[in-house]
Amino acid sequence: MTNSQITYSRSDRKLLKATGVFRYVVGLVFSEDAQRVLLLYKTAACVIPVLRDTWNGVGGKINRSEFPSTAMRRECQEETGLDIPKWQIIEVITDKKLPTVKETFRVYVFMAQGPIDGAVSNGEEVKTFSIDDAKELPLSPGLLYSLERAVSYL
């Protein structure tokens, strides 16, 4: 994902100017029996073009003074109504590929297990899938790798 593919709001531009990097969280929530995963559908109206018309984990922006784990719990509550207190970080994704390249975004990828059947939508479609069925969906870029990595920890 390049910066030219993203349209930033005025508040986002201020944050980038102040901190130099956008920080996001994305989380994969698995059922307590580790057989199903909760995903959200990003419609064509999604502001990030590469996420449009794909399934993604729960997540969003990390507020300026917020820890990634706190943001993950908050985003899950906001997007699904679920309060999942314990999250495990499984990877950090960044656009910094070379020492000479300035990092502009960082994504903290988390996983958790909990009761996922009570998830509600805040406007996006929220649905649970078997892990095998989820792997066949049009997933957001990189999510299949993160899903497979998370499954290896279950």
Side-chain angles (χ1 to χ4, degrees):
M1 174 179 359
T2 64
N3 288 341
S4 62
Q5 294 174 298
I6 303 172
T7 303
Y8 297 116
S9 68
R10 185 174 179 192
S11 63
D12 284 346
R13 289 190 303 270
K14 283 183 178 181
L15 181 63
L16 181 59
K17 186 175 180 182
T19 64
V21 64
F22 287 115
R23 300 179 315 142
Y24 299 93
V25 292
V26 63
L28 294 165
V29 186
F30 295 92
S31 59
E32 293 171 302
D33 65 1
Q35 299 300 306
R36 302 186 65 73
V37 63
L38 178 74
L39 297 173
L40 285 76
Y41 188 74
K42 302 292 184 183
T43 67
C46 180
V47 297
I48 302 175
V50 298
L51 298 181
R52 291 178 184 159
D53 298 317
T54 64
W55 290 91
N56 200 4
V58 297
K61 287 185 255 178
I62 301 171
N63 294 330
R64 189 172 185 174
S65 61
E66 196 172 32
F67 289 107
S69 57
T70 306
M72 189 66 257
R73 185 174 183 179
R74 175 185 52 77
E75 286 289 343
C76 186
Q77 286 175 313
E78 290 174 2
E79 293 185 353
T80 68
L82 299 175
D83 182 17
I84 307 289
K86 188 175 179 183
W87 290 89
Q88 176 185 347
I89 192 161
I90 58 171
E91 65 182 320
V92 179
I93 301 168
T94 178
D95 63 346
K96 183 172 177 63
K97 304 292 185 223
L98 302 168
T100 57
V101 175
K102 183 179 186 284
E103 178 183 36
T104 59
F105 77 87
R106 187 179 308 151
V107 180
Y108 297 85
V109 182
F110 289 86
M111 64 177 281
Q113 283 184 259
I116 59 175
D117 291 330
V120 295
S121 172
N122 73 344
E124 297 173 313
E125 184 178 356
V126 176
K127 195 170 177 183
T128 63
F129 297 92
S130 73
I131 293 169
D132 287 338
D133 286 348
K135 291 178 182 179
E136 300 300 319
L137 296 169
L139 299 174
S140 62
L143 195 68
L144 178 59
Y145 173 80
S146 297
L147 176 61
E148 289 174 339
R149 188 168 184 171
V151 167
S152 75
Y153 292 120
L154 293 173

